[in-house]
Amino acid sequence: MHRTVKWGLLGAALCCTSMLAAAAGKSDPLGNVAASFKAHGQAGMDRLERDPMQQACSQPASSEPSAEVAKSISRSAQERVKPPSDGQYLGDWKAGEKIAQTGKGMQYSDDPAEPNGGNCYACHQMAGSEIAYGTLGPSLSQYGKLRGTSPAILEYTWTRLWNSHVYNVCSHMPRFGDAGILTEQQLKDVMAYLFDLDSPVNQ
Ligand code: HEC
């Protein structure tokens, strides 16, 4: 109760500041977002703090990051990629299938002690038998069959999952490794789901 009142009051204060700014003809998009967001469960107000990549990629389309800024974002993303500690990229595809199908995790109503999902189907086609999938990302159907498992393709895919911004500065794909969404073992399992020739992705 006390918490609700506290954030309610903060919300009211932010609301009026942004309304005053609007009345004075100043745009205050961040103030507006803060005013409409309440801390709840694991979703704290710190989620409104943007890192340099998020700041650069939240500008209007007319002011995309300069080539220099883009280069520095992708370089620092690359520097933070952690390869698998034992050098093994592939885990268990059956566990990976569940992770790819699960959209739970990191929302205010989710238990932070439970493992997060990857929600891959929200953006990608994967197993051909799955009828519901999003199309924001490319189809990953037949991924392993088409690309094989050379060291270069394993490393590329691991890096994609760890932090897609290495390759596409303003990527819409979540930073599964870098942002701590999936654990190393979960990433290996999702990798196996993409590459294992027995996985439904490759049927
Ligand atoms: C919110 C949407 C979104 C989610 C969720 C998402 N991706 Fe992506 N993914 C993309 C987009 C968009 C691209 C295209 C490249 C880019 O823009 O970065 C992509 C690219 C990829 C690629 C590279 C494809 C290629 O042809 O080289 C792989 C592999 C991939 N995603 C795997 C996954 C896996 C596995 C998951 C779940 C753990 C996942 N993605 C979740 C949006 C998403």
Side-chain angles (χ1 to χ4, degrees), residues 118-153:
N119 210 14
C120 315
Y121 277 98
C123 296
H124 294 286
Q125 178 181 36
M126 300 179 95
S129 52
E130 177 61 62
I131 51 166
Y133 53 86
T135 53
L136 184 63
S139 171
L140 303 175
S141 172
Q142 309 284 307
Y143 193 86
K145 211 176 198 174
L146 293 173
R147 303 194 188 203
T149 50
S150 66
I153 197 71

Side-chain angles (χ1 to χ4, degrees), residues 57-117:
C57 294
S58 307
Q59 300 302 316
S62 54
S63 52
E64 280 176 1
S66 66
E68 203 183 322
V69 170
K71 213 168 163 186
S72 108
I73 290 171
S74 92
R75 196 183 307 121
S76 80
Q78 175 81 68
E79 281 164 7
R80 291 196 306 274
V81 176
K82 288 202 193 110
S85 42
D86 59 0
Q88 297 299 319
Y89 284 100
L90 302 174
D92 170 5
W93 71 258
K94 288 184 183 156
E97 180 176 43
K98 292 202 187 86
I99 296 162
Q101 290 170 341
T102 306
K104 271 179 72 173
M106 301 188 85
Q107 298 182 52
Y108 78 89
S109 51
D110 292 322
D111 178 355
E114 292 289 317
N116 296 323

